[in-house]
mmCIF file of all heavy atoms in Angstrom:
data_model
loop_
_atom_site.group_PDB
_atom_site.id
_atom_site.type_symbol
_atom_site.label_atom_id
_atom_site.label_comp_id
_atom_site.label_asym_id
_atom_site.label_seq_id
_atom_site.Cartn_x
_atom_site.Cartn_y
_atom_site.Cartn_z
ATOM 1 N N ARG A 244 -90.563 22.961 34.865
ATOM 2 C CA ARG A 244 -91.956 22.720 35.264
ATOM 3 C C ARG A 244 -92.864 22.380 34.083
ATOM 4 O O ARG A 244 -93.958 21.888 34.252
ATOM 5 C CB ARG A 244 -92.493 23.934 36.038
ATOM 6 C CG ARG A 244 -92.034 23.859 37.509
ATOM 7 C CD ARG A 244 -92.642 24.904 38.399
ATOM 8 N NE ARG A 244 -91.962 26.191 38.250
ATOM 9 C CZ ARG A 244 -92.502 27.281 37.715
ATOM 10 N NH1 ARG A 244 -93.729 27.246 37.289
ATOM 11 N NH2 ARG A 244 -91.812 28.389 37.621
ATOM 12 N N SER A 245 -92.359 22.665 32.848
ATOM 13 C CA SER A 245 -93.225 22.380 31.693
ATOM 14 C C SER A 245 -92.707 21.159 30.920
ATOM 15 O O SER A 245 -92.866 20.023 31.375
ATOM 16 C CB SER A 245 -93.337 23.625 30.807
ATOM 17 O OG SER A 245 -92.041 24.057 30.441
ATOM 18 N N VAL A 246 -92.007 21.395 29.786
ATOM 19 C CA VAL A 246 -91.625 20.268 28.909
ATOM 20 C C VAL A 246 -90.788 19.187 29.588
ATOM 21 O O VAL A 246 -90.953 17.995 29.317
ATOM 22 C CB VAL A 246 -90.875 20.748 27.635
ATOM 23 C CG1 VAL A 246 -91.835 21.198 26.586
ATOM 24 C CG2 VAL A 246 -89.860 21.813 27.959
ATOM 25 N N ALA A 247 -89.875 19.608 30.502
ATOM 26 C CA ALA A 247 -88.959 18.636 31.103
ATOM 27 C C ALA A 247 -89.675 17.594 31.960
ATOM 28 O O ALA A 247 -89.130 16.522 32.216
ATOM 29 C CB ALA A 247 -87.900 19.358 31.939
ATOM 30 N N ARG A 248 -90.893 17.923 32.374
ATOM 31 C CA ARG A 248 -91.647 16.945 33.185
ATOM 32 C C ARG A 248 -91.925 15.671 32.392
ATOM 33 O O ARG A 248 -92.085 14.605 32.935
ATOM 34 C CB ARG A 248 -92.963 17.565 33.649
ATOM 35 C CG ARG A 248 -92.726 18.556 34.770
ATOM 36 C CD ARG A 248 -93.962 19.277 35.152
ATOM 37 N NE ARG A 248 -95.038 18.403 35.577
ATOM 38 C CZ ARG A 248 -96.285 18.810 35.778
ATOM 39 N NH1 ARG A 248 -96.595 20.078 35.579
ATOM 40 N NH2 ARG A 248 -97.213 17.973 36.163
ATOM 41 N N HIS A 249 -91.979 15.832 31.063
ATOM 42 C CA HIS A 249 -92.279 14.658 30.222
ATOM 43 C C HIS A 249 -91.046 14.176 29.449
ATOM 44 O O HIS A 249 -91.140 13.308 28.614
ATOM 45 C CB HIS A 249 -93.395 15.015 29.222
ATOM 46 C CG HIS A 249 -94.513 15.738 29.883
ATOM 47 N ND1 HIS A 249 -95.366 15.102 30.759
ATOM 48 C CD2 HIS A 249 -94.891 17.039 29.841
ATOM 49 C CE1 HIS A 249 -96.231 16.008 31.229
ATOM 50 N NE2 HIS A 249 -95.960 17.181 30.680
ATOM 51 N N ASP A 250 -89.913 14.805 29.685
ATOM 52 C CA ASP A 250 -88.728 14.463 28.894
ATOM 53 C C ASP A 250 -87.524 14.231 29.829
ATOM 54 O O ASP A 250 -86.871 15.180 30.272
ATOM 55 C CB ASP A 250 -88.430 15.622 27.921
ATOM 56 C CG ASP A 250 -87.268 15.306 26.997
ATOM 57 O OD1 ASP A 250 -86.490 14.376 27.311
ATOM 58 O OD2 ASP A 250 -87.136 15.990 25.967
ATOM 59 N N PRO A 251 -87.231 12.953 30.140
ATOM 60 C CA PRO A 251 -86.156 12.676 31.111
ATOM 61 C C PRO A 251 -84.783 13.168 30.654
ATOM 62 O O PRO A 251 -83.949 13.545 31.482
ATOM 63 C CB PRO A 251 -86.173 11.152 31.230
ATOM 64 C CG PRO A 251 -87.037 10.634 30.144
ATOM 65 C CD PRO A 251 -87.911 11.743 29.663
ATOM 66 N N VAL A 252 -84.525 13.164 29.336
ATOM 67 C CA VAL A 252 -83.212 13.615 28.866
ATOM 68 C C VAL A 252 -83.051 15.106 29.170
ATOM 69 O O VAL A 252 -82.035 15.568 29.731
ATOM 70 C CB VAL A 252 -83.032 13.345 27.354
ATOM 71 C CG1 VAL A 252 -81.712 13.926 26.853
ATOM 72 C CG2 VAL A 252 -83.078 11.845 27.095
ATOM 73 N N LEU A 253 -84.067 15.857 28.827
ATOM 74 C CA LEU A 253 -84.030 17.293 29.083
ATOM 75 C C LEU A 253 -83.959 17.559 30.595
ATOM 76 O O LEU A 253 -83.204 18.427 31.046
ATOM 77 C CB LEU A 253 -85.270 17.974 28.475
ATOM 78 C CG LEU A 253 -85.307 19.506 28.595
ATOM 79 C CD1 LEU A 253 -84.089 20.140 27.927
ATOM 80 C CD2 LEU A 253 -86.585 20.063 27.961
ATOM 81 N N ALA A 254 -84.703 16.775 31.355
ATOM 82 C CA ALA A 254 -84.686 16.956 32.816
ATOM 83 C C ALA A 254 -83.270 16.719 33.351
ATOM 84 O O ALA A 254 -82.777 17.482 34.187
ATOM 85 C CB ALA A 254 -85.673 15.992 33.472
#
Side-chain angles (χ1 to χ4, degrees):
R244 278 187 280 112
S245 55
V246 278
R248 285 174 58 190
H249 314 289
D250 184 342
V252 175
L253 184 58

